[in-house]
Amino acid sequence: MSADLGLLLVGMLGIGFLAQWLAWRVRLPAILFLLLAGILMGPVVGALQPDRLLGPLLFPIVSLAVSLILFEGSLTLRFSELREIGCVVRGLVTYGAVIAVFLLAIAAHYLAGLSWQVALLFGALTCVTGPTVIAPMLRTVRPNARIANTLRWEGIVIDPLGALFAVLVFEAIASHQQGRTVGVFLAVLASGTVVGLVAAWLLAFFLRRQMIPEYLQNYAALVMVLLAFSLSNAITHESGLLTVTIMGIALGNMRDVHIDDILDFKENLTTLLVSSLFILLAARLTWPLPGHVLWSGVAIFVVAQLVVRPLTVAIATVGSALSWRERALIGWVAPRGIVAAAVSAVFALRLGELGMPGAAQLVPLVFLIIIGTVLLQSATARPLARWLKVAEPDPTGVLIYGADAAARQVARALVDAGFRVVIADEQWQGIRLARMEGLTTFYGHPATTYAERHLDLSGIGRLLAMSANRERNALACVYYRQEFGRGRVYRLLVEDTHQAHERTQLGGHLLAPALFDAAMTHERFEERLAEGWTIKSTRLTTTFDWPHFIEQYGSNTVLLFGVEEKGALRIASVKRELEPRPGWLVAALVPPQPLRPSN
């Protein structure tokens, strides 16, 4: 029996990985494949029966997993960002979210017959989107920058705020269902808030004073979150989820607390938990769903898609600079994600224990909203964006990794040629200089989870890895090869390949075509700039073609890129030797010209 149990658990983890990998390959939210995998393993095939498999451990395991998911989500909320995101996003995540909650609750009450209490909880759960579902969809839809920024920031900010609101609604329902007074409910709020703040302060105290070695900080954070969750529940029943949400928000907004490593660890752990949890929860569904649940769920989805979201966006964007076309696309795109699925399951289990009518319908209705929004919007958002004329054309912009002199000079030449350029680097000095030169920058490595959430790739379709670190260049190339395509990722050599020892050369699968020519390295580029070489851009004509350009500036001129008459960008590399033609705009690194004697 134990061997079968172990094999089943490992198989569930393996299927979760395959679902995540498939989502990465086809650029769709992973939640869709995870839910479908759970339905196939559970009610369809019958191989996975969570209640029989875990028994009384099911609810504690789900509760602890959800507490970590909520903590990770709330850890990303920065109050300072609320002031920077603009009035549109503030409207969407504040009064717009409240309007959506009540409209969804009304739909759930009248269409599914849920009590007002459960319907309000349903509205709180399904009003949120999230980065894990928005980011893949934006890469496929490729809307203009204003739409992309609005949707991305909405997902980032509303995730923890929506979770907090859902927890508060649940606490109110649980208190009322158990016959508690308003004072007991306020005690739950007070207990959750105090324990959360104290836990955040204690963890920050140890981190600030470096009382925990770096390799144990993630472990300490994990223990602190689970301890705070369990301790809060022991002090005041049902306050644990509120505690971890408050703890994450408080810790994420404290100054002088380095939480990047903890956040990375929690994101990786959340990926594992979400993959397993969604399969586990979807396997508990009854499939096919009862007719009244299925049709009421479809009706609620239609109302949410065609009425609630457009109306919410219309109200939240009153007086904004967005055009009606941009509002229309924002009003169409609102896929539900992690918070809705995970939190609804633990709430449904708890409400079921309390004997709350309609608790059993909560999870299937939420899952229908998730599946419906992801499927419909993934299939229709890109054509709709094109029809509304708010989609970016084929991406022609360039992401440059590296912010030293060579990268900045190439970036400036590309910007002057009319291309959108973003410079990314984790070295602050180079980023500071790039910003002073008026270039668009991203502070951080472009192949991180933080970059997935915050790096705006609207209109970007190429990568030039030009940092002085060979391994980090290779990482960026491997990461963006899937994003942009193998033929749109390049690297600047860091050392001469003829002189490099074979023991230090990276494998071919880690490499990308070398930029400019085989003799050009990062060090050589920097040296030539220091010697007075400059980047010269010229429009070729029939009377001044490329041979004339070489004749004027010298045979050691290095061609960097060319722009065809129709605007297509051609990057010079060892894989493709360019042959500039009349009408092209060419940019080349040229030596300093000798002073001509005056007449």
Side-chain angles (χ1 to χ4, degrees):
M1 178 67 179
S2 60
D4 294 339
L5 176 61
L7 184 62
L8 186 60
L9 291 176
V10 172
M12 185 174 66
L13 291 175
I15 292 175
F17 166 76
L18 290 176
Q20 292 277 1
W21 178 83
L22 181 60
W24 168 72
R25 289 288 298 180
V26 301
R27 300 183 184 180
L28 286 176
I31 187 174
L32 177 62
F33 299 99
L34 292 169
L35 293 177
L36 294 178
I39 292 174
L40 288 175
M41 290 182 65
V44 175
V45 178
L48 180 61
Q49 300 180 23
D51 293 274
R52 181 181 298 179
L53 178 68
L54 299 175
L57 294 177
L58 177 63
F59 179 73
I61 289 175
V62 172
S63 297
L64 290 175
V66 170
S67 71
L68 291 171
I69 292 172
L70 287 179
F71 173 74
E72 188 272 329
S74 58
L75 197 63
T76 62
L77 178 63
R78 303 288 189 272
F79 290 132
S80 59
E81 293 173 349
L82 293 177
R83 295 189 298 268
E84 300 171 359
I85 55 180
C87 63
V88 174
V89 179
R90 276 200 299 271
L92 288 172
V93 302
T94 53
Y95 59 86
V98 174
I99 293 172
V101 168
F102 284 106
L103 292 178
L104 289 167
I106 292 172
H109 175 72
Y110 288 105
L111 296 177
L114 298 181
S115 66
W116 279 113
Q117 292 173 314
V118 178
L120 192 62
L121 180 59
F122 172 85
L125 289 168
T126 55
C127 75
V128 299
T129 61
T132 56
V133 287
I134 284 293
M137 193 170 292
L138 289 179
R139 292 177 183 174
T140 302
V141 178
R142 294 207 306 269
N144 64 36
R146 291 204 295 187
I147 295 175
N149 289 335
T150 298
L151 291 173
R152 185 174 64 252
W153 276 109
E154 180 196 12
I156 292 171
V157 177
I158 203 174
D159 217 20
L161 288 180
L164 177 60
F165 189 62
V167 168
L168 293 176
V169 173
F170 170 73
E171 300 294 356
I173 293 174
S175 297
H176 181 268
Q177 188 68 14
Q178 292 178 326
R180 300 177 183 177
T181 63
V182 176
V184 175
F185 171 65
L186 295 177
V188 170
L189 299 185
S191 174
T193 302
V194 171
V195 174
L197 292 176
V198 170
W201 181 85
L202 283 174
L203 183 57
F205 177 84
F206 291 125
L207 293 177
R208 283 196 184 106
R209 286 159 179 77
Q210 299 181 351
M211 300 173 66
I212 305 174
E214 287 192 11
Y215 77 96
L216 286 179
Q217 288 180 1
N218 292 331
Y219 193 176
L222 176 64
V223 171
M224 185 65 76
V225 172
L226 297 180
L227 180 62
F229 173 79
S230 303
L231 182 62
S232 182
N233 275 338
I235 295 174
T236 308
H237 198 50
E238 305 295 354
S239 63
L241 294 178
L242 176 61
T243 295
V244 296
T245 305
I246 295 294
M247 179 182 175
I249 294 175
L251 187 64
N253 286 277
M254 289 183 180
R255 295 182 178 180
D256 304 323
V257 180
H258 181 71
I259 61 171
D260 290 344
D261 292 338
I262 294 175
L263 186 56
D264 289 341
F265 170 70
K266 287 293 184 293
E267 287 174 340
N268 294 331
L269 181 61
T270 298
T271 300
L272 175 64
L273 292 175
V274 166
S275 301
S276 305
L277 191 61
F278 281 11
I279 293 176
L280 201 65
L281 298 178
R284 297 184 73 247
L285 292 174
T286 302
W287 201 266
L289 293 173
H292 69 284
V293 175
L294 178 61
W295 290 114
S296 60
V298 172
I300 294 173
F301 159 68
V302 172
V303 172
Q305 181 70 45
L306 301 181
V307 179
V308 177
R309 177 63 176 181
L311 183 59
T312 301
V313 171
I315 295 174
T317 57
V318 170
S320 71
L322 295 174
S323 68
W324 73 267
R325 298 175 185 272
E326 292 170 328
R327 295 182 189 182
L329 186 62
I330 295 173
W332 183 257
V333 178
R336 274 58 170 186
I338 289 174
V339 171
V343 182
S344 67
V346 69
F347 286 172
L349 286 170
R350 189 67 190 99
L351 291 177
E353 292 180 355
L354 296 175
M356 189 71 183
Q361 294 178 252
L362 185 63
V363 173
L365 290 176
V366 169
F367 278 25
L368 284 173
I369 286 284
I370 293 171
I371 295 174
T373 53
V374 172
L375 279 177
L376 178 67
Q377 295 168 20
S378 296
T380 60
R382 178 61 179 171
L384 179 61
R386 287 177 173 173
W387 181 74
L388 291 171
K389 299 180 181 179
V390 293
E392 290 284 346
D394 291 336
T396 58
V398 180
L399 171 64
I400 297 180
Y401 173 52
D404 48 24
R408 297 199 307 272
Q409 291 285 348
V410 173
R412 172 51 56 193
L414 286 166
V415 170
D416 291 341
F419 295 96
R420 180 170 186 261
V421 178
V422 177
I423 287 186
D425 202 334
E426 60 271 42
Q427 303 298 323
W428 171 247
Q429 180 64 18
I431 290 295
R432 184 180 67 85
L433 292 174
R435 289 181 178 177
M436 291 175 63
E437 295 172 12
L439 298 169
T440 303
T441 62
F442 173 79
Y443 181 39
H445 194 283
T448 59
T449 305
Y450 180 81
E452 285 186 1
R453 293 187 172 187
H454 299 279
L455 177 55
D456 181 12
L457 293 178
S458 301
I460 302 294
R462 285 182 177 84
L463 169 72
L464 307 185
M466 299 184 63
S467 82
N469 188 299
R470 182 184 58 169
E471 288 74 20
R472 291 182 179 272
N473 285 345
L475 173 62
C477 289
V478 171
Y479 186 88
Y480 282 95
R481 186 181 298 163
Q482 178 63 33
E483 180 74 24
F484 298 148
R486 186 178 294 270
R488 289 173 167 253
V489 173
Y490 307 87
R491 65 189 172 102
L492 181 62
L493 297 176
V494 176
E495 58 185 359
D496 195 322
T497 55
H498 298 292
Q499 298 178 1
H501 195 280
E502 63 179 2
R503 293 184 180 180
T504 65
Q505 290 185 358
L506 298 175
H509 66 288
L510 296 177
L511 302 181
L515 278 169
F516 313 137
D517 62 47
M520 179 57 68
T521 65
H522 182 277
E523 183 180 8
R524 190 166 295 135
F525 203 126
E526 293 280 325
E527 288 177 351
R528 292 186 174 181
L529 290 176
E531 293 169 358
W533 289 51
T534 58
I535 296 179
K536 177 69 174 178
S537 297
T538 301
R539 177 74 64 179
L540 300 180
T541 65
T542 53
T543 57
F544 186 78
D545 56 11
W546 181 243
H548 286 92
F549 188 97
I550 295 295
E551 180 181 349
Q552 176 171 332
Y553 292 102
S555 59
N556 51 357
T557 294
V558 180
L559 177 61
L560 303 179
F561 64 85
V563 183
E564 296 180 356
E565 288 186 89
K566 295 184 178 180
L569 176 63
R570 297 287 181 259
I571 303 292
S573 70
V574 296
K575 188 175 182 180
R576 170 179 286 184
E577 184 176 353
L578 298 184
E579 297 180 0
R581 301 174 183 177
W584 282 34
L585 175 70
V586 294
L589 184 65
V590 301
Q593 301 301 298
L595 293 176
R596 297 180 180 179
S598 58
N599 295 330

